[in-house]
Amino acid sequence: MAYSLRSRADIDLEFSASEFTGALGDSVTVLPLLVALGATTSVSLPHVLVGFGVFQIVWGVYYGLPLSVEPMKALVGLAIVGALTYAELAAAGLLAGVVLLAVGQRGLVGRLQRVVGEPVIRGVQFAVALLLLEAAVDLSIGNLPVAAGGLAIVGLLALGGYRRASVLVVLGLGGVVAVATAGVPTPTVPTPAVFPAGSPSFSAAALEGTVAQLGMTVGNAAIATALLCGDLYDRDISPDALSSSMGVTCLAAIPLGGVPMCHGSGGLAGKHAFGARTGGANVLLGLGYLALALVAAGAVLAAFPMAVLGVLLVVVALELARAAFEPVTDGRSLALVAGIGAVGLVGNVGVAFVLGAVAFWLLSRQS
């Protein structure tokens, strides 16, 4: 049975089985990244989950659509692999929030995307995928039998047509092991605080990460998501509006312990594929994140098997790599994507982004 209500914008918010399954489509990459971030950095996972829960609900109700609210993958990926401290991650998120809000309010998103170039954005995605894959190997090497078992489960589910759901299954199994080891946590409300995991650090690494992330965010989270809103839901939502909402999200959530968040075309497509058609999916998922925040205790997180975490990062990395190369067709762009990814892996993602942007500009002049 489905229930619906009207929001302020006179948009249906439906609460049904399809909205519930659609909500799961956005958690496929979100939860593995958040668990990995919580296990490898000083971030307060309960506060992070509260941020995701609140803003899933806020933007679902505001837009009346199952918009994705997900981590900024370049920044969070760099924090997971140790290239950014949590303090630098927080600073980068604040910087990104200021820029996104400013360009969105001034209608500059389209211009910024044209300057960067899609192959450069895809190259940054590929670089983050390679870094996550490297981190996955490091996490899995300590318990290869468990890692092999996790990969086998993912492979079998993918063969059975449940590729996206396989990540949630493995995550759930890891959670069962963690609870069995550490015990059932007592529900605890996260204590409200300003920067509960530490004050932001505005370093060169934070600035480099911000620059690299903004390329991905403008292309994937603003422009591509706006196009999907029209294609999948016949709604005209501008990239500048999405940029502004992402800026507000970062600036409001990070001081309270959240992490850099954005919309995303992949998450929106995932929700649609799993059945979501209204912002009701966001409300249901937001309530789920808030419930998880009550039991995301440090002892349970510490007991989560690192090899299983490695398996989750492998799946996320492969999905990012696939998304990086799928839209690229010509050989020159493919070479640029691969080159930026390689430089980001062996050197620095920020440097790779700048070099890639320069190379794209030079190649464009020759065309």
Side-chain angles (χ1 to χ4, degrees), residues 5-279:
L5 53 86
R6 294 283 180 176
S7 70
R8 274 190 318 158
D10 201 35
I11 298 169
D12 283 326
L13 295 175
E14 184 177 305
F15 302 96
S16 63
S18 61
E19 295 297 317
F20 176 75
T21 57
L24 297 179
D26 195 26
S27 61
V28 170
T29 56
V30 172
L31 284 176
L33 283 172
L34 296 188
V35 172
L37 187 68
T40 56
T41 73
S42 63
V43 69
S44 171
L45 186 56
H47 288 87
V48 171
L49 287 168
V50 167
F52 274 89
V54 168
F55 283 101
Q56 280 281 354
I57 295 170
V58 166
W59 299 125
V61 172
Y62 181 83
Y63 287 109
L65 289 176
L67 279 180
S68 173
V69 179
E70 56 191 53
M72 288 188 172
K73 292 185 178 67
L75 291 177
V76 170
L78 290 173
I80 290 172
V81 302
L84 290 177
T85 66
Y86 170 74
E88 291 170 331
L89 173 68
L94 292 173
L95 291 172
V98 169
V99 174
L100 289 169
L101 183 59
V103 299
Q105 291 297 302
R106 299 182 71 85
L108 300 176
V109 171
R111 297 182 190 177
L112 187 59
Q113 197 261 350
R114 285 192 294 272
V115 171
V116 173
E118 184 173 355
V120 181
I121 297 168
R122 301 301 177 186
V124 171
Q125 282 182 295
F126 184 47
V128 174
L130 292 176
L131 288 168
L132 287 176
L133 193 59
E134 183 180 48
V137 172
D138 291 338
L139 290 170
S140 302
I141 203 74
N143 198 336
L144 289 178
V146 171
L151 288 173
I153 292 172
V154 170
L156 289 173
L157 288 171
L159 289 173
Y162 301 98
R163 179 178 61 86
R164 290 182 64 85
S166 65
V167 180
L168 296 181
V169 172
V170 174
L171 182 63
L173 292 173
V176 169
V177 172
V179 170
T181 302
V184 178
T186 301
T188 305
V189 177
T191 303
V194 177
F195 295 114
S199 300
S201 174
F202 294 90
S203 64
L207 180 59
E208 291 171 358
T210 303
V211 171
Q213 176 64 59
L214 285 173
M216 288 177 60
T217 300
V218 168
N220 177 59
I223 294 174
T225 300
L227 290 173
L228 267 187
C229 287
D231 292 342
L232 299 180
Y233 298 97
D234 195 27
R235 285 283 304 280
D236 183 16
I237 296 177
S238 74
D240 293 298
L242 294 175
S243 179
S244 296
S245 62
M246 289 186 289
V248 168
T249 301
C250 289
L251 293 175
I254 290 172
L256 299 178
V259 295
M261 290 181 274
C262 62
H263 302 308
S265 58
L268 178 61
K271 280 182 173 176
H272 185 273
F274 276 63
R277 296 296 181 269
T278 77

Side-chain angles (χ1 to χ4, degrees), residues 29 125 129 163-164 313-324:
T29 56
Q125 282 182 295
R163 179 178 61 86
R164 290 182 64 85
L313 289 184
V314 166
V315 177
V316 172
L318 292 178
E319 183 65 22
L320 266 180
R322 181 199 61 78

